Amino acid sequence: MNFFVVLASLVMALHLLFILWVVFGALLTHRRPLLRWLHLASLVWAIAVEILPWACPLTAVENWLQVHAGGATYEGGFLFHYLDVLVYSNVPPGLLTACGVAVCLFNLGIYIARFGVGTLPAGKSDIPAKTGVR
């Protein structure tokens, strides 16, 4: 087996693991601050790659390795390429992008709910206490 084929397969597996991390990472970060911040950064990156005209570096590396292995490359993103081939035939790219962003926003919603963004700690109030002094 060609060395580049093996490396391309490893990059593809890494890419899939990153996507799984983005989708399910919020379930693994409870009470783990370092993982929480890594996952939040991953969510921001995933949303940016989905909505901006940026290419994921893992896709570029995988395509480069495929060329050197004598294989064919693919246009577009990892998700669109593999999901279109394996699962969802003829899915519009815009729908796939919207679903990807929705999953990321759902994860951000988990963090908002978990940390009570917009609420104050118990016993705290943003209304000044009356001291009886005028």
Side-chain angles (χ1 to χ4, degrees):
M1 183 176 277
N2 186 333
F3 178 67
F4 288 108
V5 171
V6 172
L7 287 178
S9 298
L10 288 173
V11 170
M12 182 183 70
L14 179 65
H15 213 157
L16 180 61
L17 286 173
F18 178 77
I19 291 166
L20 292 173
W21 164 249
V22 167
V23 172
F24 299 110
L27 302 174
L28 304 171
T29 61
H30 191 61
R31 299 179 196 256
R32 294 181 180 104
L34 178 61
L35 287 180
R36 178 178 53 233
W37 288 111
L38 287 172
H39 187 246
L40 284 168
S42 299
L43 285 171
V44 169
W45 172 256
I47 290 171
V49 168
E50 285 297 319
I51 63 174
L52 298 173
W54 296 353
C56 179
L58 290 173
T59 301
V61 170
E62 183 183 350
N63 280 329
W64 185 86
L65 290 168
Q66 287 289 357
V67 166
H68 285 78
T73 63
Y74 57 88
E75 298 278 330
F78 177 90
L79 277 178
F80 184 71
H81 174 72
Y82 287 106
L83 287 180
D84 190 51
V85 171
L86 297 175
V87 182
Y88 304 111
S89 166
N90 300 320
V91 172
L95 177 61
L96 193 57
T97 297
C99 289
V101 171
V103 166
C104 292
L105 292 174
F106 177 77
N107 274 275
L108 289 174
I110 290 172
Y111 286 115
I112 290 169
R114 187 181 292 168
F115 298 111
V117 173
T119 62
L120 295 170
K124 300 289 182 181
S125 174
D126 57 353
I127 302 170
K130 291 185 180 179
T131 61
V133 179
R134 292 188 183 207

